[in-house]
Amino acid sequence: MNMKKGIMGRQILFAILSVVLVAIIAFGVNIGCNQTEVLAPNEIREYEGADLSSINDFRENSIKGPQEIDVGSYTLRITGLVTNTTSYTYDEVLNMYQHYKKVVTLDCVEGWSATILWEGLLVKDLLAKVEPLANAEVVIFRAYDGYTTSLPIDYIMDNDILMAYKMNDVDLPPERGFPFQLVAESKWGYKWIKWITEIELSDDIDYRGYWESRGYSNSADLDKSFFGD
Amino acid sequence: MTNQQLVRRSIHWTLTALVIIYLITGLGITEYRIVEPLTLGLLTKSLAQKIHMSIEIPFIVFLILHIWLLPLLKHFRSRKLRNN
């Protein structure tokens, strides 16, 4: 009698477990169906015959990790030795200036590089609008995470230096510097500031940015050592 | 300890030290956000990179010595014995 009861008990237990298992599976499938799958951005990997690196080929080496910037409250300020100190929203920056595309390779001092199709606006167009004063010598870029770097104003004005909002035809992801990254062509990677929030024009030719004040070259020319002057 | 043993041991220990420094400074470049506070700010990214780059050639030289010293010595010894 007791044995029979035991078998019955086990059968009931198995039945309950089976029902629970089926319910879990059904619930799981249902959850799976409702979940939003994150698809990889549709980046291009070739442009006019040139092979491009992937957005994911970059090493994350920023000073405080990737920054999440709320595009709604974002402003780009242009300050310092300018006639008109200006502040733009993200959309204003995108809508007010001519857009350009260019394939440029970023060379990092860590030894890796990435060739990307950058899309953005020219920094010199931005500066032309605010009318730099005659004594402005240096363009200081500041980022959301506190990172800074600087470049001579002549370098910005004499070259087509982009402030990019797209790479390989997709918007910059947060870890790559959304909303804007500087494409400091022919300069080492630490000049390619991400998450730009302020551009200041200065006459301080001795100004040194974050890495420059920690021993890296201020000129950062690719054809020279990244240590030294 | 013979001279040969002393040389071999010196090479091995120097290479060990170089490997450790090479690894730590390598991490000091790529993982500077961790290494710098761990070393109380002593091993900065730029210092790590300078050390890392300056020990590249000594590292290769000692690695080659470490690999080839024993076979070379054996080779020379056998040649010497053959000549005698």
Side-chain angles (χ1 to χ4, degrees):
Chain A
M1 189 71 176
N2 277 347
M3 210 172 130
K4 215 173 181 180
K5 256 189 184 172
I7 291 167
M8 281 286 284
R10 247 180 287 166
Q11 281 174 339
I12 290 165
L13 186 69
F14 277 128
I16 291 167
L17 282 176
S18 304
V19 170
V20 170
L21 195 67
V22 168
I24 288 170
I25 291 168
F27 188 64
V29 168
N30 198 23
I31 283 176
C33 289
N34 290 336
Q35 270 180 338
T36 305
E37 291 289 323
V38 178
L39 297 171
N42 199 14
E43 63 167 326
I44 59 161
R45 297 297 303 276
E46 200 186 317
Y47 180 71
E48 292 183 347
D51 288 331
L52 302 173
S53 311
S54 167
I55 292 172
N56 302 315
D57 288 345
F58 289 75
R59 268 188 54 82
E60 207 300 291
N61 56 6
S62 57
I63 57 167
K64 289 181 186 164
Q67 303 293 305
E68 295 278 347
I69 294 183
D70 174 27
V71 75
S73 58
Y74 171 81
T75 53
L76 173 71
R77 298 190 312 125
I78 306 178
T79 61
L81 299 174
V82 293
T83 311
N84 319 303
T85 297
T86 315
S87 188
Y88 295 117
T89 64
Y90 178 69
D91 287 336
E92 280 171 342
V93 177
L94 293 198
N95 295 331
M96 285 175 70
Y97 296 95
Q98 171 80 41
H99 297 190
Y100 297 89
K101 277 184 180 183
K102 201 175 193 181
V103 176
V104 188
T105 301
L106 182 153
D107 291 279
C108 181
V109 296
E110 291 173 0
W112 55 267
S113 63
T115 302
I116 294 286
L117 171 65
W118 302 95
E119 188 176 330
L121 45 126
L122 296 177
V123 182
K124 65 180 172 190
D125 286 354
L126 271 172
L127 297 189
K129 201 111 181 167
V130 295
E131 296 173 25
L133 299 180
N135 56 337
E137 297 272 358
V138 176
V139 183
I140 301 167
F141 294 87
R142 299 184 204 284
Y144 189 73
D145 60 350
Y147 186 79
T148 62
T149 193
S150 65
L151 289 158
I153 195 164
D154 292 343
Y155 165 80
I156 299 286
M157 297 311 242
D158 297 345
N159 297 284
D160 291 332
I161 304 305
L162 289 175
M163 195 173 79
Y165 56 86
K166 269 190 178 185
M167 54 197 297
N168 288 356
D169 258 2
V170 295
D171 286 341
L172 291 187
E175 64 274 21
R176 296 270 43 87
F178 179 85
F180 298 111
Q181 171 166 28
L182 190 71
V183 181
E185 220 177 316
S186 71
K187 301 285 182 187
W188 287 105
Y190 57 87
K191 292 284 182 185
W192 296 51
I193 184 171
K194 296 178 285 214
W195 309 295
I196 302 170
T197 54
E198 186 183 345
I199 301 171
E200 181 193 339
L201 276 80
S202 167
D203 58 356
D204 181 9
I205 52 169
D206 295 324
Y207 179 86
R208 286 182 169 256
Y210 184 88
W211 285 121
E212 293 88 330
S213 61
R214 287 164 173 79
Y216 287 88
S217 159
N218 200 26
S219 63
D221 291 324
L222 267 186
D223 55 354
K224 292 179 191 154
S225 168
F226 44 78
F227 286 122
D229 190 28
Chain B
M1 194 189 292
T2 63
N3 283 344
Q4 191 185 315
Q5 278 176 323
L6 184 70
V7 170
R8 273 173 55 194
R9 200 163 287 184
S10 304
I11 289 170
H12 293 171
W13 281 111
T14 309
L15 185 64
T16 306
L18 283 172
V19 167
I20 292 166
I21 296 167
Y22 206 65
L23 280 172
I24 292 170
T25 53
L27 284 169
I29 299 166
T30 57
E31 306 297 335
Y32 69 91
R33 287 197 308 239
I34 299 167
V35 174
E36 207 171 307
L38 274 180
T39 58
L40 305 172
L42 289 174
L43 190 64
T44 59
K45 181 170 179 161
S46 56
L47 179 64
Q49 198 151 17
K50 279 177 187 161
I51 297 170
H52 197 78
M53 287 161 68
S54 62
I55 64 167
E56 262 172 10
I57 291 168
F59 172 71
I60 293 166
V61 169
F62 275 90
L63 186 66
I64 290 167
L65 283 174
H66 171 72
I67 295 166
W68 287 101
L69 190 68
L70 197 61
L72 276 176
L73 286 173
K74 274 184 182 168
H75 173 75
F76 287 129
R77 204 180 301 150
S78 62
R79 262 179 69 176
K80 205 174 167 186
L81 282 171
R82 239 181 288 143
N83 289 344
N84 287 342

